[in-house]
Amino acid sequence: MSQNPGDIFIDVLSINSPRTSGINMARNFLSGEVTETIFTPGVTATIKVLDQEDYLGQLKLAGDEGVTFQFRKPQGGTAKYEFHLNSCKDVSDNSNKKYKIYELDCISRETLKGQTNHIQKGYNTTIEDIVKDLHTKLESNLPIRTEGTKGKRSIKLTNQPVLHAMDKMRKQAVSEQYKGSNYMFWLTHSGFWFKTLEGMMEEGPVKTFKQDNTVGRSQFSDIDNQVLGWQVHQSMDAVNRIHSGAMKQRVATFDVHTNRFVYKDFKPGKDDVKSLGKGDFLTDAFKSMFGQGFRTVVRMVDHNPDLKQDPSHIPDALPYRMKNLAQMQEQRMSMTVIGDPVLEAGKIVLNNIPVSTSHSGFRQNDPQVSGKWLISKVRHEIKSSEARPRWVSHLECLKGSSEESL
């Protein structure tokens, strides 16, 4: 059987009700989308199914159903998701009464557990260990991969949803290894992740893409690695650099016991935070023009100074954290490629894309879009069976600095 780029096998589309046995509607699948992002601790999906036998009507949907969705590439690579059925809509043409088309709106089961399960517990350990303990409260079968955090913390979580507590820990975590310390907590089909932006950038690329004029004439593997389309949404943002305090920051710590402020100024160096490109995104000329400005961050310290507590390390991390965020927002692009399960949020891809020119012959790689990129969001789009390519992945990517230093 011949294969086309973007072909996909829908192995499982099971709707499981606690009142009746599950129904595998893989053969009834029409189209769908699955979205992962490093900015939210959950995965969402929209799936359309053809129901000729009124299976969904017989289930008597009540909002307590689970959805298992599993698909794969013909040449290997599988993605499996466990969802909760959030809503079901009849989107069929009312002129034909012989069948119905339903749109299933799904959300990862752990997202709902994280909003309903509460935590009330005191900790005196690293934030990494706290995150691992909070992960158990999500009642998930998926593992969690974490990145080391600095120092022990005495923290009491008082009757709050697990995901709210997780977000609080994410904001307070300081990395053992990276100065930026911008932690993200997110979910993909392979599990949960608690890592810094810099930690993600240290990973090798999961796939290398190119763009040339061989589409339609290459072998399957070549087309599979083609960039079908891309758009650079932003290559720099001068105002954001200044507002974020990328050049200089003043951290003002207010002690409620002494009613005093303690000020400390920071000026991060060019090599203090990592990027996927080369060099500092702040040129010497830009620094000379606007280097007098700074951003002030005010922190409240409300613990009793007589208590023996380990330092939070947050004041020293704040300036580098803000510069890291500003840098990662500098360059953003989106691209569409042939679908692949290895394209998860938080992974790195490598682009070899030549400059756009009317001249023929050898072309160098475009420094604006080539090089390594961090996938911040992926939307797997599975189209109708007659579409070619049927499965494409829409990637939103971050870089930080240009591929060539200025």
Side-chain angles (χ1 to χ4, degrees), residues 32 42 46 60 65 67 110 123 125 162 176 179 195-196 205-206 209 240 300 343 372-373 389-390:
T46 302
K60 298 179 181 179
E65 293 80 18
V67 177
E110 294 88 349
Y123 296 93
T125 184
V162 173
E176 286 181 326
K179 287 187 175 181
K195 296 183 65 175
T196 61
V206 296
F209 292 105
N240 184 60
M300 302 289 290
L343 301 174
K372 293 181 180 180
W373 288 84
R390 189 181 187 192

Side-chain angles (χ1 to χ4, degrees), residues 109-128:
R109 190 178 302 161
E110 294 88 349
T111 303
L112 298 183
K113 287 288 185 180
Q115 295 290 347
T116 55
N117 291 359
H118 283 55
I119 181 73
Q120 183 161 325
K121 189 173 180 179
Y123 296 93
N124 186 23
T125 184
T126 63
I127 287 185
E128 180 185 14

Side-chain angles (χ1 to χ4, degrees), residues 104-236:
L104 309 179
D105 179 46
C106 306
I107 187 169
S108 51
R109 190 178 302 161
E110 294 88 349
T111 303
L112 298 183
K113 287 288 185 180
Q115 295 290 347
T116 55
N117 291 359
H118 283 55
I119 181 73
Q120 183 161 325
K121 189 173 180 179
Y123 296 93
N124 186 23
T125 184
T126 63
I127 287 185
E128 180 185 14
D129 287 340
I130 297 175
V131 166
K132 290 179 180 179
D133 186 67
L134 290 175
H135 168 256
T136 65
K137 313 302 180 185
L138 296 175
E139 303 175 23
S140 176
N141 295 323
L142 294 173
I144 184 170
R145 286 93 163 180
T146 60
E147 190 179 301
T149 57
K150 190 175 183 179
K152 287 186 177 181
R153 300 292 305 279
S154 179
I155 294 176
K156 292 179 174 60
L157 300 175
T158 55
N159 196 31
Q160 54 188 288
V162 173
L163 287 185
H164 292 195
M166 191 75 79
D167 192 58
K168 180 179 179 180
M169 295 301 97
R170 179 185 68 82
K171 294 176 180 177
Q172 293 197 25
V174 175
S175 173
E176 286 181 326
Q177 186 174 359
Y178 306 109
K179 287 187 175 181
S181 294
N182 282 299
Y183 277 86
M184 301 293 164
F185 175 69
W186 75 101
L187 174 64
T188 70
H189 67 81
S190 62
F192 285 92
W193 304 82
F194 183 75
K195 296 183 65 175
T196 61
L197 290 171
E198 291 166 295
M200 300 178 213
M201 291 187 287
E202 286 290 289
E203 301 293 332
V206 296
K207 199 164 187 177
T208 299
F209 292 105
K210 65 178 183 177
Q211 202 282 332
D212 55 32
N213 60 359
T214 60
V215 176
R217 297 189 293 108
S218 303
Q219 297 297 318
F220 180 91
S221 59
D222 289 332
I223 303 176
D224 187 61
N225 296 328
Q226 287 280 340
V227 176
L228 305 180
W230 77 88
Q231 181 178 6
V232 177
H233 298 287
Q234 183 171 283
S235 58
M236 52 84 67

Side-chain angles (χ1 to χ4, degrees), residues 64-107:
D64 53 12
E65 293 80 18
V67 177
T68 301
F69 188 33
Q70 178 176 314
F71 51 88
R72 59 185 168 92
K73 291 181 63 175
Q75 294 183 338
T78 300
K80 181 180 180 181
Y81 298 90
E82 296 288 349
F83 292 112
H84 186 88
L85 182 59
N86 184 53
S87 67
C88 179
K89 304 173 185 177
D90 183 354
V91 295
S92 55
D93 184 356
N94 292 328
S95 63
N96 193 329
K97 302 296 183 180
K98 295 182 180 180
Y99 62 85
K100 290 183 179 180
I101 297 176
Y102 289 101
E103 183 178 275
L104 309 179
D105 179 46
C106 306
I107 187 169

